[in-house]
Amino acid sequence: TQLLEQSPQFLSIQEGENLTVYCNSSSVFSSLQWYRQEPGEGPVLLVTVVTGGEVKKLKRLTFQFGDARKDSSLHITAAQPGDTGLYLCAGEVDSSYKLIFGSGTRLLVRP
Amino acid sequence: KAGVTQTPRYLIKTRGQQVTLSCSPISGHRSVSWYQQTPGQGLQFLFEYFSETQRNKGNFPGRFSGRQFSNSRSEMNVSTLELGDSALYLCASSLSGDAGYEKLFFGSGTQLSVL
């Protein structure tokens, strides 16, 4: 069974601080995606990483895919209240048209 | 371009009843997938449809079923509701359903409460 474990589960930080969220698995994924979900809405795709060791930057967000394609991290620099939300990593299982989601990291950025 | 539309937004049912949820994908998208989100289990895959064919199904009991119409709109049905079925049901659409590489567009979900 392929599982994605995220840490930490909850994170409450002050505006301007940096943070890193981790997504780990014992299985290899051909790609990993990161989503952000705000209350009352569905998840919105932030990025897809497909190559081991790949690093992608999206403004203040930096995403990294582990060399062995079993883990990924999301780093936010100078967090802002607008970054508040539930961050989810997800991977597809064997071209099965379904995503396995991590348990999520709930981030609160206090002004 | 209109997003994924799910109706109704909120639903309250009692145990034993059945419910039908609807999802209208983005125009041109032929793949529709459904997920259940609960605080305890997170997001779990229910099923995926492409061109009216179910291509994959998650580990849910047979009380959970779905279908897709020729215009790509999809419905899911839950019969004999149980308290544990209370959840946010999310629908996502994409062009081909290649979930690991394509962008899935999620609707805002239907919040189902079973009393």
Side-chain angles (χ1 to χ4, degrees):
Chain A
T1 303
Q2 290 177 288
L3 294 172
L4 287 169
E5 296 183 359
Q6 284 188 240
S7 61
Q9 280 188 295
F10 302 99
L11 201 49
S12 178
I13 61 172
Q14 204 70 35
E15 182 177 1
E17 292 183 0
N18 302 331
L19 67 117
T20 302
V21 175
Y22 299 94
C23 174
N24 295 293
S25 173
S26 58
S27 304
V28 174
F29 282 88
S30 56
S31 67
L32 273 180
Q33 298 179 322
W34 285 91
Y35 287 81
R36 183 172 74 200
Q37 185 178 20
E38 298 184 27
E41 299 296 329
V44 175
L45 180 67
L46 296 173
V47 78
T48 300
V49 285
V50 298
T51 306
E54 180 178 5
V55 176
K56 279 192 175 179
K57 292 191 175 183
L58 189 66
K59 296 183 182 179
R60 294 176 294 100
L61 278 60
T62 301
F63 304 86
Q64 185 160 9
F65 200 12
D67 291 340
R69 293 185 290 136
K70 291 183 177 182
D71 56 271
S72 182
S73 64
L74 157 61
H75 182 80
I76 301 179
T77 303
Q80 299 177 358
D83 296 326
T84 292
L86 177 67
Y87 288 82
L88 297 155
C89 64
E92 186 181 17
V93 181
D94 299 327
S95 301
S96 61
Y97 313 111
K98 78 176 189 182
L99 287 177
I100 300 293
F101 280 87
S103 51
T105 294
R106 197 165 293 280
L107 171 65
L108 172 64
V109 182
R110 305 186 306 275
Chain B
K1 194 178 202 181
V4 177
T5 303
Q6 290 189 246
T7 57
R9 189 75 176 86
Y10 301 95
L11 209 46
I12 299 176
K13 292 286 187 179
T14 56
R15 277 182 300 173
Q17 288 187 310
Q18 76 165 17
V19 66
T20 299
L21 312 182
S22 179
C23 173
S24 293
I26 290 173
S27 178
H29 285 190
R30 296 169 66 187
S31 168
V32 174
S33 51
W34 289 87
Y35 290 82
Q36 181 197 65
Q37 186 173 28
T38 59
Q41 299 297 318
L43 271 149
Q44 292 187 291
F45 173 81
L46 281 158
F47 23 66
E48 190 266 355
Y49 289 88
F50 183 86
S51 293
E52 302 179 69
T53 299
Q54 185 184 89
R55 296 193 294 188
N56 203 348
K57 188 178 191 308
N59 295 323
F60 281 83
R63 301 185 295 107
F64 291 81
S65 63
R67 59 178 176 169
Q68 186 181 35
F69 302 96
S70 58
N71 62 358
S72 293
R73 192 177 70 84
S74 177
E75 289 181 348
M76 68 163 282
N77 184 276
V78 188
S79 62
T80 319
L81 284 165
E82 300 178 359
L83 295 179
D85 297 333
S86 295
L88 179 66
Y89 290 89
L90 291 160
C91 160
S93 79
S94 68
L95 287 169
S96 71
D98 189 359
Y101 299 91
E102 263 192 332
K103 183 173 182 176
L104 295 191
F105 292 82
F106 282 85
S108 298
T110 294
Q111 183 67 54
L112 171 66
S113 297
V114 182
L115 306 179

